Amino acid sequence: GIQVEQSPPDLILQEGANSTLRCNFSDSVNNLQWFHQNPWGQLINLFYIPSGTKQNGRLSATTVATERYSLLYISSSQTTDSGVYFCAVSHYGGATNKLIFGTGTLLAVQP
Amino acid sequence: DVKVTQSSRYLVKRTGEKVFLECVQDMDHENMFWYRQDPGLGLRLIYFSYDVKMKEKGDIPEGYSVSREKKERFSLILESASTNQTSMYLCASRKSGNTIYFGEGSWLTVV
């Protein structure tokens, strides 16, 4: 099945710093989403982005489907950005509604 | 506003007990999912359902069953709970081809 790899696995930032999180996937996808899981376990949708670029405030994401990767940019990080960031994909030829998750990037933003 | 509600946030059960985890969504989504999340393993799909009374096995269905008698409700059943089923369980729903939405999670401890 499709493999989803995220890097880096862990990241520590000072407040105000910028960061880039990466998601690589091993097959063509028809869906890609980025999530933020807060310390209480809630998964928050960030972007639905099977291709192209989107921005929402300090966050933006780019998916280059032909090269099988997606990037999540966090600018001017804040302590509330801490948590785990997941990307998840579903792929052509698989069960169309089945999302496969990467193992996440654990982000800690220090004041 | 979208809403996926999991009935129990924290449960402690004894080995061998039958456990029901309930999930309700108010978005008229046809697809519903149960994931479990464990440290270092990310989110793994247990079962999903694409319509009332329809279900498909995910990646780790062993020891679990599901029920979907109504479109808005998807139940996860542990027939005989075991300690290796101690985990956080996440329910999600999705309209085909669109963003997936997660509940707040249910922390289950089996002793």
Side-chain angles (χ1 to χ4, degrees):
Chain A
I2 191 169
Q3 303 297 314
V4 183
E5 295 181 353
Q6 291 185 243
S7 60
D10 307 285
L11 185 59
I12 300 174
L13 298 174
Q14 291 298 121
E15 203 166 22
N18 302 328
S19 64
T20 300
L21 281 57
R22 187 176 180 103
C23 173
N24 291 331
F25 41 93
S26 60
D27 204 346
S28 300
V29 298
N30 55 15
N31 180 14
L32 187 145
Q33 292 183 235
W34 282 98
F35 299 88
H36 174 219
Q37 188 169 40
N38 65 24
W40 297 271
Q42 177 74 52
L43 275 162
I44 312 288
N45 292 301
L46 297 177
F47 294 102
Y48 173 81
I49 188 165
S51 64
T53 297
K54 290 186 178 179
Q55 180 156 6
N56 184 4
R58 296 182 296 104
L59 302 181
S60 63
T62 296
T63 297
V64 183
T66 53
E67 297 187 21
R68 301 184 182 171
Y69 72 89
S70 183
L71 302 174
L72 178 69
Y73 305 96
I74 304 173
S75 64
S76 304
S77 58
Q78 301 176 358
T79 55
T80 51
D81 294 331
S82 296
V84 183
Y85 289 81
F86 291 100
C87 73
V89 305
S90 61
H91 66 116
Y92 294 107
T96 56
N97 291 303
K98 181 179 173 181
L99 277 179
I100 308 299
F101 281 77
T103 52
T105 292
L106 176 60
L107 175 65
V109 181
Q110 298 178 337
Chain B
D1 205 11
V2 299
K3 192 76 172 175
V4 179
T5 303
Q6 295 183 228
S7 56
S8 303
R9 288 299 314 271
Y10 304 97
L11 305 93
V12 179
K13 298 291 182 181
R14 295 192 180 277
T15 300
E17 275 193 77
K18 192 169 185 176
V19 181
F20 292 86
L21 299 178
E22 305 285 346
C23 176
V24 177
Q25 51 97 1
D26 64 358
M27 297 164 282
D28 200 36
H29 287 169
E30 58 268 26
N31 303 294
M32 297 188 74
F33 307 82
W34 276 105
Y35 288 86
R36 66 176 280 178
Q37 184 176 14
D38 302 286
L41 296 176
L43 277 78
R44 294 178 293 167
L45 182 64
I46 304 171
Y47 267 97
F48 67 100
S49 168
Y50 52 89
D51 202 350
V52 175
K53 297 191 186 295
M54 306 304 289
K55 60 185 179 184
E56 292 276 347
K57 292 181 180 179
D59 298 316
I60 51 164
E62 296 79 18
Y64 303 94
S65 61
V66 290
S67 171
R68 193 157 180 212
E69 297 296 318
K70 294 185 178 181
K71 190 175 186 180
E72 67 270 20
R73 186 178 299 269
F74 192 36
S75 302
L76 180 69
I77 304 156
L78 288 66
E79 295 289 344
S80 177
S82 63
T83 54
N84 64 12
Q85 293 178 309
T86 292
S87 187
M88 183 168 80
Y89 291 87
L90 286 156
C91 175
S93 74
R94 178 184 177 201
K95 192 171 181 63
S96 293
N98 282 318
T99 302
I100 192 169
Y101 296 92
F102 282 87
E104 292 183 321
S106 297
W107 296 86
L108 172 66
T109 300
V110 182
V111 298

